[in-house]
Amino acid sequence: MTSTVELPLWLFVLIVLFAAVTFASHFLFPSVRWFFRRRMERVVARLNERLARPIEPFKLARRYDMIQRLIYDPEVARAVADHAREEGIPENVAFEQARRYAREIVPSFSATAYFGIAIKAARWLSQSLYRVRLGHYDEEEFRHVDREATVVFVMNHRSNMDYVLVTWLAAERTALTYAVGEWARVWPLSRLIKAMGAYFIRRRPRNDLYRRVLARYVGMATEGGVTQAIFPEGGLSLDGALARPRLGLLKYIVEEHESGGRDVVFVPVAVNYDRVFEDRILVAAGQKGERRFQARISVVAKFIVKQFWLRLTGRYHRHGYAAASFGAPLSLEQFEAETPGATVEDLGRRLMKRIGEEVPVLPVPAVAHVLIAADGPVTRHEIERQIAAMVEVLPGTRMQLPRDDTAYAVEVGLRNLRKRGMLVEDDQGITVNEDDRPVVAYYAKSIAHLLCTRSD
């Protein structure tokens, strides 16, 4: 028992490492997890005191537990069996595929990451890039929303800045859970996005098993009262106009909703910008007739470096205005009661109509609308006259004119287009550079539906 045993150094180090891992996993890690769990619960309790829509327990559940609950759900189990039978593979192989899908979808929300990092970063970025305005927002309407209902923000999709802008503007009310596309599955961005509570979805799902796993997660989150934000258009607008709704996530929310259970309240949100940073990429993709587009990292890096250089040299100007408007909430139970037999397509059209009614009119879209509709050069006086006519036609909450001054709004709109070299100006007036006409039309189309006119 007391004799000496000689071991190679590498083996001794390996034994010590195994002992350390065993000690940590059995004694240290549970204590550390418990410590941080208690700390997180105190943080969430303080947050819930000031949030209009408290963070629900479902959102705070451990990611591992949520994955287990999802893959052992009876409906997912049936989908696994069906998939195994259709593909001619063992059920345990199909089950592992379902587990892989669940791990890909399920987020790991961190209140500290969301409210301590994401909200501050979103506010800083939004205010650094734009002059931000809040359009229509009726506090009284939101006070009457059932506190037990699940709130789903349905938004038009103009830019990837939508996530940032609305996350910040909604920060005083709730924590939003977004469905994000495959563009965000890049490390380390993916870890941060999951920590913010977002979940990934594939735009082109491979099979019915994936769709069933995703549908059940969306159903569980909705049943659990998680406040969500979705884009019914299914992707960024390629021509600037509102697109027809694509009913994937909306269909899951409606079909997974149990009659008599927790109500779902949809809140239409409309965003608009004086400058969409992806505009040329989106327009080019629309002209090609395909949605496959990507921004090279070199282009993004060049843009960031340029903005920093402008700041250092004191020549930086924000890129115009950005605004968001919140429409009247729509209860799913009320919609179904008022329109018996209505389909998900009917609901999608109703929501897109409400979103369209809330789109803010900003200086660049307003000026672009006048220039695109004109047959030739337009004088500045004529632009001011036509935008003043818009003010008479549209409700005040739709027109986001800086300083409530039409002349100054025209100056802001022209300045932003002029800065990008999109205008030709001479003694006869102002026209759009032909090479940039599709991009200017992109901004005009964002408000064309409000004016019942067509922007080519």
Side-chain angles (χ1 to χ4, degrees), residues 62-84:
R62 286 200 313 158
R63 182 167 179 266
Y64 174 82
D65 294 338
M66 278 306 311
I67 291 172
Q68 295 299 105
R69 179 181 166 187
L70 181 57
I71 60 179
Y72 287 106
D73 181 85
E75 292 189 28
V76 172
R78 282 193 292 272
V80 166
D82 292 342
H83 182 71

Side-chain angles (χ1 to χ4, degrees), residues 78-108:
R78 282 193 292 272
V80 166
D82 292 342
H83 182 71
R85 185 171 57 254
E86 291 169 4
E87 297 294 322
I89 59 177
E91 282 199 20
N92 63 325
V93 174
F95 181 80
E96 285 305 315
Q97 288 183 359
R99 186 195 300 274
R100 212 160 46 243
Y101 295 150
R103 289 176 60 85
E104 180 181 293
I105 293 168
V106 176
S108 53

Side-chain angles (χ1 to χ4, degrees), residues 204-246:
R204 293 181 178 84
R206 295 178 181 175
N207 51 50
D208 290 336
L209 176 59
Y210 176 84
R211 282 187 282 270
R212 190 68 254 158
V213 174
L214 175 60
R216 279 309 298 142
Y217 175 76
V218 173
M220 288 177 178
T222 305
E223 292 165 9
V226 175
T227 304
Q228 302 171 55
I230 65 173
F231 300 98
E233 295 167 290
L236 292 166
S237 173
L238 300 184
D239 62 0
L242 291 175
R244 292 181 179 179
R246 298 172 67 182

Side-chain angles (χ1 to χ4, degrees), residues 77 107 201 211 221 226 243 308-309 328 330 333 337 347 359 385-386 448:
I201 58 173
R211 282 187 282 270
V226 175
F308 272 112
W309 175 250
L330 175 65
E333 290 185 355
L347 175 61
V359 173
R385 187 192 68 78
Q386 292 197 36

